[in-house]
Amino acid sequence: MAALHGDPPPIPADTPVRIYSMEYCPFAQRARLALTAKGVKFDVINCHLKNKPKFLTDAHPNGTVPVLLHKGNVILESEIAVEYVDQVFPDQGKKLYPEDAAERAKARVQITFFGQKVIPQFYKALRETSDEEIGKLLDVLERWVEEPLRKQGTPYLGGQDYNTVDINTWPWLERLDARVQHGAISLPEERFPNLVAYIRRMKSTPGIAELVHSAEDYKVAFDSYAKGEPNYNYNSPHPFYEGEVKA
Amino acid sequence: TPTGSLAARESSGMEIVYGDPPPLPADVSVRVYNMEYCPFAQRVLLALSAKGIKYDVINCCLGPNKPQFLNDANPNGEVPVLLHGGHVLYESDIIVDYVDRAFPGGHRLYQDNAISVAKGRLLVKMFDTKVIPLFYKLVFYPNHENQGKLLDALETWIENPLEELDTPFFGGQDYSFVDVNCWPWIERIHAMKDVGFISLGEERFPKLFDYANRMIASPGISEWVHTGEEYKTFYDSYRKGNPRYNYHAKRPMYCKGKRA
């Protein structure tokens, strides 16, 4: 699909939420997963992230996705958006946060620690692909995902069903799985029995499965990033906007 | 100006103790692992004070002499840690959230309004990422350039939002989780303007000055302030690599156990 310019058309009357997104952005995927979990109708406006459209930079000081538009409200930052969606659509779809104050706090700590310990190492291993960096990634995956799954003994990080912890962490595990399928990383089942089962389970879970990209899609995306020319909208069904073309 | 409670503090700080803290008194259900000058831990103290409940504060040495019970409680080995109802919680902003939910009486730190929560969280996140790192940069490299960067960030993320909101607090008519999460660093900057840390001028920051005076006078906030001299002493020692973790503290400090 060719890139569009200017502003997107107005949000349709029957669509409560619009999201400024990018097809391969894991942070934006968190918000899309949350909306899907709630069964909320939303429309997706994908954005070029190097030549950003003006409507994106007007909405967010950092010009990052996701940006959620709902009832005239503009919500920024992925984890904030997930919480917002759970609060404004309380009576539909899945409950994304535990009701109990301590359980809610522990869920948020899990998300924070994943963000502190796993996500940076995921990107490091993606850039540096050395045995050492991949080894460190496996270590943090074991400590911060495999072990919690094992200790909890539940199908999802959220318990019997997926919740905000799964939503906020899955995008990187999906990409990890793609890297495994590419042969770039090995995730041995003997060391990661719970994580391997969890990945398989998530990929076939309604609400998650619809947003999963194939290993082939990720190969094109990652390779294009590595070359410095990100193919932001590869194989995407959504309209794609960029900033004005510079003369 | 220091309050009566500050003036009553011993000038040399209290003693160092070893081992584990004693069990909680019967009428106290909450304990905080704290460090006298930790702004992250102060967030939690402010949240608890807002609720008007009794809580027990255990000051800890940090760095290589931190007590074992702190490492046992928190994988990051950091303060604050909150112990309540058998739960052990860490991450300061998450604990503030927990305190508001677990103790529904007293002063409410969150409104039942999703968009105001989302906007408040964004402000805290911007403050965390845009202002706080520059504070520490100035602590460790006290030069004119770093002062300028911190002042610019304060203008963008505190002065201008206060001007736009045009309410006494970030929370509106009363302080909220946004105020609690940002105040510790604003307090330090405001307190240390008079001891050479930073040239914070009222002409450039009228809203911030008003806000700081209002916060210092607010019940719940006022009990955890320190003087500019105290902060300067602490941060100078911090920069030199030998932090005076318990300077002027009203309670003993737990350190890694010494052998008999």
Side-chain angles (χ1 to χ4, degrees):
Chain A
M1 198 181 292
L4 302 165
H5 301 97
D7 289 336
I11 308 173
D14 68 340
T15 303
V17 178
R18 166 168 285 173
I19 180 171
Y20 298 155
S21 181
M22 190 275 284
E23 194 64 28
Y24 294 93
C25 175
F27 296 96
Q29 187 180 355
R30 287 171 157 175
R32 294 188 291 124
L33 288 170
L35 289 162
T36 306
K38 296 307 253 183
V40 171
K41 190 159 193 235
F42 61 101
D43 92 345
V44 181
I45 303 294
N46 275 351
C47 300
H48 197 293
L49 295 185
K50 273 192 177 177
N51 182 15
K52 297 179 184 186
K54 189 164 180 301
F55 60 79
L56 177 61
T57 51
D58 283 347
H60 192 315
N62 287 347
T64 55
V65 293
V67 175
L68 247 66
L69 306 169
H70 172 244
K71 287 191 171 168
N73 294 325
V74 179
I75 295 92
L76 310 178
E77 297 299 308
S78 58
E79 201 187 336
I80 295 174
V82 172
E83 184 186 38
Y84 175 83
V85 162
D86 194 49
Q87 290 182 335
V88 292
F89 300 104
D91 304 317
Q92 60 186 97
K94 294 188 193 298
K95 188 145 186 32
L96 299 183
Y97 282 83
E99 199 57 55
D100 176 72
E103 290 310 307
R104 186 189 185 99
K106 287 173 185 176
R108 289 187 58 201
V109 170
Q110 255 187 299
I111 296 166
T112 295
F113 274 36
F114 186 86
Q116 280 177 5
K117 319 280 185 193
V118 180
I119 293 177
Q121 192 55 37
F122 172 83
Y123 288 111
K124 206 150 189 223
L126 193 61
R127 279 193 311 269
E128 292 176 42
T129 64
S130 63
D131 285 344
E132 189 190 347
E133 293 304 337
I134 290 174
K136 285 183 190 171
L137 176 60
L138 295 182
D139 288 344
V140 294
L141 283 168
E142 186 175 355
R143 174 112 197 255
W144 301 107
V145 190
E146 173 66 27
E147 255 187 56
L149 281 169
R150 182 180 55 80
K151 282 189 184 150
Q152 280 175 220
T154 53
Y156 297 94
L157 290 165
Q160 290 307 314
D161 204 347
Y162 72 89
N163 78 352
T164 184
V165 185
D166 306 271
I167 284 170
N168 275 293
T169 58
W170 171 248
W172 290 270
L173 300 176
E174 180 185 329
R175 284 150 182 74
L176 170 76
D177 179 61
R179 299 287 285 147
V180 170
Q181 290 183 58
H182 298 162
I185 293 180
S186 170
L187 202 68
E189 202 162 343
E190 316 83 61
R191 186 178 173 194
F192 296 96
N194 295 283
L195 177 55
V196 168
Y198 174 71
I199 290 173
R200 202 176 291 138
R201 184 177 305 122
M202 284 287 275
K203 280 162 72 174
S204 60
T205 296
I208 306 289
E210 297 89 305
L211 271 59
V212 168
H213 272 284
S214 68
E216 195 255 331
D217 284 347
Y218 279 119
K219 188 103 194 14
V220 172
F222 290 153
D223 284 352
S224 71
Y225 264 85
K227 288 189 190 113
E229 293 275 346
N231 192 337
Y232 289 119
N233 216 47
Y234 179 71
N235 208 12
S236 154
H238 302 299
F240 176 62
Y241 285 77
E242 63 181 15
E244 291 314 314
V245 178
K246 311 223 183 313
Chain B
T1 46
T3 64
S5 63
L6 286 170
R9 281 182 190 158
E10 295 172 12
S11 60
S12 58
M14 292 194 75
E15 76 272 26
I16 289 172
V17 293
Y18 302 98
D20 290 337
L24 279 171
D27 61 339
V28 179
S29 67
V30 184
R31 170 170 276 168
V32 184
Y33 296 157
N34 181 50
M35 189 276 283
E36 188 72 19
Y37 293 94
C38 177
F40 296 95
Q42 188 180 351
R43 287 172 160 176
V44 173
L45 303 179
L46 296 176
L48 289 165
S49 292
K51 297 314 202 171
I53 52 156
K54 277 190 178 178
Y55 55 100
D56 180 55
V57 181
I58 298 292
N59 273 8
C60 298
C61 186
L62 299 181
N65 292 319
K66 76 172 73 150
Q68 188 56 41
F69 62 77
L70 179 58
N71 279 319
D72 290 344
N74 181 356
N76 278 345
E78 293 168 346
V79 295
V81 178
L82 187 93
L83 302 117
H84 175 241
H87 303 296
V88 179
L89 300 174
Y90 30 89
E91 295 301 305
S92 56
D93 62 327
I94 296 177
I95 299 174
V96 169
D97 192 3
Y98 171 80
V99 164
D100 197 58
R101 284 168 186 273
F103 304 101
H107 178 103
R108 290 297 314 277
L109 295 174
Y110 287 81
Q111 290 118 320
D112 284 328
N113 178 327
I115 189 60
S116 80
V117 171
K119 285 184 172 159
R121 289 225 194 278
L122 180 67
L123 237 157
V124 174
K125 182 161 188 185
M126 291 293 118
F127 186 81
D128 279 0
T129 52
K130 312 277 191 190
V131 180
I132 292 178
L134 293 179
F135 171 80
Y136 290 105
K137 207 165 182 205
L138 185 57
V139 165
F140 284 104
Y141 304 102
N143 61 41
H144 195 72
E145 186 189 350
N146 287 334
Q147 267 204 55
K149 287 182 180 167
L150 179 55
L151 290 170
D152 289 345
L154 279 174
E155 188 173 350
T156 306
W157 300 108
I158 298 293
E159 181 69 21
N160 292 346
L162 280 172
E163 167 96 45
E164 267 179 57
L165 282 170
D166 196 26
T167 51
F169 300 93
F170 284 105
Q173 292 309 307
D174 210 340
Y175 67 87
S176 73
F177 74 100
V178 181
D179 303 272
V180 164
N181 276 301
C182 299
W183 171 246
W185 290 267
I186 301 174
E187 188 215 336
R188 280 152 181 69
I189 292 165
H190 182 264
M192 290 199 285
K193 67 182 178 351
D194 300 321
V195 294
F197 175 73
I198 192 167
S199 312
L200 190 76
E202 196 165 355
E203 325 74 56
R204 187 179 174 193
F205 295 97
K207 294 286 179 187
L208 195 159
F209 269 68
D210 264 346
Y211 176 72
N213 291 330
R214 193 174 302 119
M215 284 291 278
I216 289 166
S218 295
I221 304 293
S222 53
E223 69 181 283
W224 293 109
V225 294
H226 287 82
T227 65
E229 187 272 331
E230 285 168 336
Y231 280 128
K232 181 130 205 312
T233 302
F234 173 73
Y235 284 113
D236 282 349
S237 71
Y238 194 56
R239 182 176 61 254
K240 287 174 189 149
N242 201 4
R244 300 185 66 174
Y245 290 119
N246 221 43
Y247 179 67
H248 275 196
K250 282 197 289 193
R251 54 189 51 78
M253 177 171 71
Y254 284 77
C255 291
K256 194 155 114 176
K258 70 175 167 186
R259 298 188 195 275

